[in-house]
Amino acid sequence: MVTEPSDASVRDRAAAATSPASHGALLQLIRARSGATRQQLLAATGMSRTTLFERLDGLFQHGLIYQAGLAPNGGSRSAPGRPSEILRWDDRGRVVLVLDLGQTHARICVTTVRGQVLRMRELAVSIDVDAETYLAQAHEIGRILLTAGTDETLVGVGVGIPGPVNSRTGVLGRSTTMPQWQHYPLLERERQHWNVDVVIDNDARAFAFGEASVAGPHDTLLAVKFATGIGAGLVSAGHLLEGSDGTAGDIGHVRLSVDGPPCTCGRHGCLAAWASGAALLRQLAPVGVHQLDDIVARVAAGDAEVVAAIDQAVERLAGVLAPVVAAVNPDTLVLGGKLGRLPRVVAGLDALIRDDVSERAREHLVVSVGRLGSDGAMVGLSQRVVDLAFAPGAIDAQIAAAPAS
Ligand SMILES: [Zn+2]
């Protein structure tokens, strides 16, 4: 369950909420429960009956809650004339559009507000083209997917990108993977295009947020995406760490040696230049390995050369991750991406990191594959959009703009 807004604009809006007894705060309480009666809400909020009913009227009039039948003791004589109706957040028909933009392909999907994927399409497109060209294709598929639904309301759009982004400004940072997109005002353009709330985040961080939403009551989750590139995300007590410039988790350009292979960032010997999927493909091209799926298949088949290359990459990745594990003491290290999900990679990182950190740092550490498979980033983006759109401050602003008659 994800309840903690992490986007700065969410925090701003939440801070703008006038009162813990506001419409938005009440909706958040109802959202956190699968259903609640008026009596339960009175007990939980301590509001007066008059105030609670006035707030609920506002939420009803804006279509934000609905009556979902009677509680098991509904209509009991203890409350004559006022049966115990169950009130729920009206999430029926509300959907989120997610554009998960990758380096070689994009995944575009429509999800429910609980992150369940309803419709999805993949698009083969290179991030090397300029932003407008790439986005025009993604938008067209998004439009087709949205049109395919009936009686749906678009809550917002989540965009994942394989590079650094400042989610407060929505402007893309200097990126080695998408140089043509530098300074592109992605947030502003997406808002103009779809006319709804938009969240933009780095794909590895979106993956971390998605996994944290299903990981249970873990305090600190470190997620690493190991695919064409290498990136990480950190969620602690529901808060997604972005860092001062939006580059938190950008571990691919930690330099391991000054004389290593050239990196896309212009230096030599970065982790990404040694160990990313892109680096492995360059290294293994002479033996007929041309895509990540080839690596996955050759490792499964026990191809000695490919296995040796992957093992060496894992060793280098572990060398960068161990200090991170020591510094943040996660209880869960979740691995994702086509290479990160390989059992050999999970087992190798688990063993090597344990070798490198103190017993206390590893005592409660669980290293595992993400529970959401390849959907982690999509779920994370979807949940961040819902948190933004239904933040208490956003709901209060919506109701203040069109007060109940
Ligand atoms: Zn680099």
Side-chain angles (χ1 to χ4, degrees), residues 36-40 69-80 82-86:
T37 65
R38 288 177 175 80
Q39 289 77 6
Q40 287 168 340
L70 297 177
N73 64 342
S76 72
R77 287 181 192 155
S78 63
R82 198 180 296 285
S84 296
E85 290 146 340
I86 297 175

PDB file of all heavy atoms in Angstrom, residues 36-40 69-80 82-86:
ATOM      1  N   ALA A  36     -15.697   2.110   4.766  1.00  0.00           N
ATOM      2  CA  ALA A  36     -15.907   2.568   6.140  1.00  0.00           C
ATOM      3  C   ALA A  36     -17.333   3.083   6.281  1.00  0.00           C
ATOM      4  O   ALA A  36     -17.873   3.699   5.353  1.00  0.00           O
ATOM      5  CB  ALA A  36     -14.916   3.678   6.487  1.00  0.00           C
ATOM      6  N   THR A  37     -17.932   2.844   7.433  1.00  0.00           N
ATOM      7  CA  THR A  37     -19.260   3.402   7.702  1.00  0.00           C
ATOM      8  C   THR A  37     -19.095   4.798   8.285  1.00  0.00           C
ATOM      9  O   THR A  37     -18.002   5.176   8.739  1.00  0.00           O
ATOM     10  CB  THR A  37     -20.035   2.540   8.705  1.00  0.00           C
ATOM     11  OG1 THR A  37     -19.345   2.592   9.967  1.00  0.00           O
ATOM     12  CG2 THR A  37     -20.108   1.085   8.242  1.00  0.00           C
ATOM     13  N   ARG A  38     -20.194   5.566   8.318  1.00  0.00           N
ATOM     14  CA  ARG A  38     -20.138   6.911   8.919  1.00  0.00           C
ATOM     15  C   ARG A  38     -19.731   6.816  10.395  1.00  0.00           C
ATOM     16  O   ARG A  38     -18.974   7.648  10.883  1.00  0.00           O
ATOM     17  CB  ARG A  38     -21.503   7.589   8.785  1.00  0.00           C
ATOM     18  CG  ARG A  38     -21.826   8.015   7.350  1.00  0.00           C
ATOM     19  CD  ARG A  38     -23.227   8.616   7.269  1.00  0.00           C
ATOM     20  NE  ARG A  38     -23.525   9.152   5.940  1.00  0.00           N
ATOM     21  CZ  ARG A  38     -23.897   8.402   4.912  1.00  0.00           C
ATOM     22  NH1 ARG A  38     -24.007   7.091   5.044  1.00  0.00           N
ATOM     23  NH2 ARG A  38     -24.144   8.957   3.734  1.00  0.00           N
ATOM     24  N   GLN A  39     -20.236   5.789  11.066  1.00  0.00           N
ATOM     25  CA  GLN A  39     -19.905   5.623  12.481  1.00  0.00           C
ATOM     26  C   GLN A  39     -18.401   5.398  12.659  1.00  0.00           C
ATOM     27  O   GLN A  39     -17.771   5.964  13.554  1.00  0.00           O
ATOM     28  CB  GLN A  39     -20.681   4.430  13.079  1.00  0.00           C
ATOM     29  CG  GLN A  39     -22.181   4.677  13.251  1.00  0.00           C
ATOM     30  CD  GLN A  39     -22.967   4.576  11.935  1.00  0.00           C
ATOM     31  OE1 GLN A  39     -22.423   4.216  10.901  1.00  0.00           O
ATOM     32  NE2 GLN A  39     -24.248   4.926  11.988  1.00  0.00           N
ATOM     33  N   GLN A  40     -17.837   4.581  11.769  1.00  0.00           N
ATOM     34  CA  GLN A  40     -16.388   4.323  11.863  1.00  0.00           C
ATOM     35  C   GLN A  40     -15.589   5.595  11.576  1.00  0.00           C
ATOM     36  O   GLN A  40     -14.562   5.846  12.201  1.00  0.00           O
ATOM     37  CB  GLN A  40     -15.990   3.213  10.876  1.00  0.00           C
ATOM     38  CG  GLN A  40     -16.459   1.825  11.330  1.00  0.00           C
ATOM     39  CD  GLN A  40     -16.331   0.773  10.235  1.00  0.00           C
ATOM     40  OE1 GLN A  40     -16.243   1.096   9.052  1.00  0.00           O
ATOM     41  NE2 GLN A  40     -16.322  -0.492  10.643  1.00  0.00           N
ATOM     42  N   GLY A  69     -23.211  -0.560  -0.515  1.00  0.00           N
ATOM     43  CA  GLY A  69     -23.977  -1.558   0.235  1.00  0.00           C
ATOM     44  C   GLY A  69     -23.984  -1.285   1.724  1.00  0.00           C
ATOM     45  O   GLY A  69     -23.536  -0.228   2.185  1.00  0.00           O
ATOM     46  N   LEU A  70     -24.505  -2.257   2.476  1.00  0.00           N
ATOM     47  CA  LEU A  70     -24.657  -2.086   3.921  1.00  0.00           C
ATOM     48  C   LEU A  70     -23.621  -2.910   4.664  1.00  0.00           C
ATOM     49  O   LEU A  70     -23.219  -3.980   4.206  1.00  0.00           O
ATOM     50  CB  LEU A  70     -26.054  -2.536   4.355  1.00  0.00           C
ATOM     51  CG  LEU A  70     -27.227  -1.740   3.760  1.00  0.00           C
ATOM     52  CD1 LEU A  70     -28.549  -2.331   4.218  1.00  0.00           C
ATOM     53  CD2 LEU A  70     -27.127  -0.266   4.155  1.00  0.00           C
ATOM     54  N   ALA A  71     -23.190  -2.382   5.801  1.00  0.00           N
ATOM     55  CA  ALA A  71     -22.309  -3.158   6.679  1.00  0.00           C
ATOM     56  C   ALA A  71     -23.087  -4.371   7.200  1.00  0.00           C
ATOM     57  O   ALA A  71     -24.312  -4.357   7.214  1.00  0.00           O
ATOM     58  CB  ALA A  71     -21.836  -2.278   7.827  1.00  0.00           C
ATOM     59  N   PRO A  72     -22.372  -5.422   7.621  1.00  0.00           N
ATOM     60  CA  PRO A  72     -23.042  -6.652   8.072  1.00  0.00           C
ATOM     61  C   PRO A  72     -24.121  -6.395   9.114  1.00  0.00           C
ATOM     62  O   PRO A  72     -25.139  -7.054   9.130  1.00  0.00           O
ATOM     63  CB  PRO A  72     -21.893  -7.485   8.654  1.00  0.00           C
ATOM     64  CG  PRO A  72     -20.689  -7.022   7.904  1.00  0.00           C
ATOM     65  CD  PRO A  72     -20.919  -5.560   7.626  1.00  0.00           C
ATOM     66  N   ASN A  73     -23.907  -5.389   9.990  1.00  0.00           N
ATOM     67  CA  ASN A  73     -24.921  -5.081  10.996  1.00  0.00           C
ATOM     68  C   ASN A  73     -25.798  -3.926  10.548  1.00  0.00           C
ATOM     69  O   ASN A  73     -26.426  -3.262  11.346  1.00  0.00           O
ATOM     70  CB  ASN A  73     -24.264  -4.763  12.342  1.00  0.00           C
ATOM     71  CG  ASN A  73     -23.410  -3.497  12.250  1.00  0.00           C
ATOM     72  OD1 ASN A  73     -23.047  -3.078  11.150  1.00  0.00           O
ATOM     73  ND2 ASN A  73     -23.111  -2.902  13.391  1.00  0.00           N
ATOM     74  N   GLY A  74     -25.803  -3.666   9.213  1.00  0.00           N
ATOM     75  CA  GLY A  74     -26.513  -2.507   8.671  1.00  0.00           C
ATOM     76  C   GLY A  74     -27.990  -2.540   9.035  1.00  0.00           C
ATOM     77  O   GLY A  74     -28.617  -3.585   9.058  1.00  0.00           O
ATOM     78  N   GLY A  75     -28.540  -1.374   9.295  1.00  0.00           N
ATOM     79  CA  GLY A  75     -29.963  -1.270   9.581  1.00  0.00           C
ATOM     80  C   GLY A  75     -30.335  -1.809  10.950  1.00  0.00           C
ATOM     81  O   GLY A  75     -31.500  -2.082  11.219  1.00  0.00           O
ATOM     82  N   SER A  76     -29.333  -1.965  11.818  1.00  0.00           N
ATOM     83  CA  SER A  76     -29.633  -2.506  13.139  1.00  0.00           C
ATOM     84  C   SER A  76     -30.481  -1.512  13.926  1.00  0.00           C
ATOM     85  O   SER A  76     -30.512  -0.321  13.627  1.00  0.00           O
ATOM     86  CB  SER A  76     -28.343  -2.809  13.894  1.00  0.00           C
ATOM     87  OG  SER A  76     -27.739  -1.590  14.287  1.00  0.00           O
ATOM     88  N   ARG A  77     -31.135  -1.993  14.963  1.00  0.00           N
ATOM     89  CA  ARG A  77     -32.032  -1.124  15.748  1.00  0.00           C
ATOM     90  C   ARG A  77     -31.255  -0.093  16.545  1.00  0.00           C
ATOM     91  O   ARG A  77     -31.827   0.858  17.053  1.00  0.00           O
ATOM     92  CB  ARG A  77     -32.893  -1.974  16.672  1.00  0.00           C
ATOM     93  CG  ARG A  77     -33.956  -2.713  15.888  1.00  0.00           C
ATOM     94  CD  ARG A  77     -34.826  -3.548  16.794  1.00  0.00           C
ATOM     95  NE  ARG A  77     -35.645  -4.443  15.979  1.00  0.00           N
ATOM     96  CZ  ARG A  77     -36.137  -5.575  16.411  1.00  0.00           C
ATOM     97  NH1 ARG A  77     -35.888  -5.977  17.641  1.00  0.00           N
ATOM     98  NH2 ARG A  77     -36.876  -6.325  15.634  1.00  0.00           N
ATOM     99  N   SER A  78     -29.938  -0.334  16.693  1.00  0.00           N
ATOM    100  CA  SER A  78     -29.160   0.625  17.470  1.00  0.00           C
ATOM    101  C   SER A  78     -29.057   1.961  16.747  1.00  0.00           C
ATOM    102  O   SER A  78     -28.747   2.970  17.359  1.00  0.00           O
ATOM    103  CB  SER A  78     -27.760   0.061  17.748  1.00  0.00           C
ATOM    104  OG  SER A  78     -27.074  -0.113  16.528  1.00  0.00           O
ATOM    105  N   ALA A  79     -29.265   1.954  15.445  1.00  0.00           N
ATOM    106  CA  ALA A  79     -29.216   3.213  14.707  1.00  0.00           C
ATOM    107  C   ALA A  79     -30.455   3.297  13.822  1.00  0.00           C
ATOM    108  O   ALA A  79     -30.348   3.253  12.608  1.00  0.00           O
ATOM    109  CB  ALA A  79     -27.946   3.298  13.872  1.00  0.00           C
ATOM    110  N   PRO A  80     -31.618   3.424  14.430  1.00  0.00           N
ATOM    111  CA  PRO A  80     -32.844   3.392  13.640  1.00  0.00           C
ATOM    112  C   PRO A  80     -32.869   4.527  12.621  1.00  0.00           C
ATOM    113  O   PRO A  80     -32.463   5.653  12.937  1.00  0.00           O
ATOM    114  CB  PRO A  80     -33.939   3.555  14.695  1.00  0.00           C
ATOM    115  CG  PRO A  80     -33.274   4.153  15.891  1.00  0.00           C
ATOM    116  CD  PRO A  80     -31.877   3.660  15.857  1.00  0.00           C
ATOM    117  N   ARG A  82     -31.034   5.081  10.202  1.00  0.00           N
ATOM    118  CA  ARG A  82     -29.751   5.395   9.582  1.00  0.00           C
ATOM    119  C   ARG A  82     -28.949   4.107   9.427  1.00  0.00           C
ATOM    120  O   ARG A  82     -28.101   3.788  10.259  1.00  0.00           O
ATOM    121  CB  ARG A  82     -28.977   6.398  10.430  1.00  0.00           C
ATOM    122  CG  ARG A  82     -27.867   7.095   9.649  1.00  0.00           C
ATOM    123  CD  ARG A  82     -27.126   8.087  10.532  1.00  0.00           C
ATOM    124  NE  ARG A  82     -27.961   9.185  11.004  1.00  0.00           N
ATOM    125  CZ  ARG A  82     -28.349  10.195  10.250  1.00  0.00           C
ATOM    126  NH1 ARG A  82     -27.998  10.249   8.993  1.00  0.00           N
ATOM    127  NH2 ARG A  82     -29.099  11.144  10.754  1.00  0.00           N
ATOM    128  N   PRO A  83     -29.260   3.323   8.395  1.00  0.00           N
ATOM    129  CA  PRO A  83     -28.536   2.066   8.202  1.00  0.00           C
ATOM    130  C   PRO A  83     -27.050   2.318   7.995  1.00  0.00           C
ATOM    131  O   PRO A  83     -26.661   3.374   7.501  1.00  0.00           O
ATOM    132  CB  PRO A  83     -29.178   1.451   6.961  1.00  0.00           C
ATOM    133  CG  PRO A  83     -29.891   2.573   6.285  1.00  0.00           C
ATOM    134  CD  PRO A  83     -30.238   3.567   7.338  1.00  0.00           C
ATOM    135  N   SER A  84     -26.226   1.363   8.398  1.00  0.00           N
ATOM    136  CA  SER A  84     -24.778   1.537   8.303  1.00  0.00           C
ATOM    137  C   SER A  84     -24.300   1.255   6.888  1.00  0.00           C
ATOM    138  O   SER A  84     -23.911   0.141   6.576  1.00  0.00           O
ATOM    139  CB  SER A  84     -24.078   0.600   9.287  1.00  0.00           C
ATOM    140  OG  SER A  84     -24.434   0.955  10.593  1.00  0.00           O
ATOM    141  N   GLU A  85     -24.350   2.299   6.065  1.00  0.00           N
ATOM    142  CA  GLU A  85     -23.876   2.131   4.694  1.00  0.00           C
ATOM    143  C   GLU A  85     -22.353   2.148   4.660  1.00  0.00           C
ATOM    144  O   GLU A  85     -21.725   2.896   5.410  1.00  0.00           O
ATOM    145  CB  GLU A  85     -24.399   3.276   3.818  1.00  0.00           C
ATOM    146  CG  GLU A  85     -25.892   3.213   3.581  1.00  0.00           C
ATOM    147  CD  GLU A  85     -26.502   4.594   3.489  1.00  0.00           C
ATOM    148  OE1 GLU A  85     -25.868   5.553   3.982  1.00  0.00           O
ATOM    149  OE2 GLU A  85     -27.612   4.697   2.940  1.00  0.00           O
ATOM    150  N   ILE A  86     -21.807   1.334   3.790  1.00  0.00           N
ATOM    151  CA  ILE A  86     -20.355   1.336   3.612  1.00  0.00           C
ATOM    152  C   ILE A  86     -20.012   2.381   2.552  1.00  0.00           C
ATOM    153  O   ILE A  86     -20.565   2.375   1.455  1.00  0.00           O
ATOM    154  CB  ILE A  86     -19.853  -0.041   3.160  1.00  0.00           C
ATOM    155  CG1 ILE A  86     -20.146  -1.079   4.254  1.00  0.00           C
ATOM    156  CG2 ILE A  86     -18.352   0.006   2.858  1.00  0.00           C
ATOM    157  CD1 ILE A  86     -19.803  -2.487   3.846  1.00  0.00           C
TER     158      ILE A  86
END
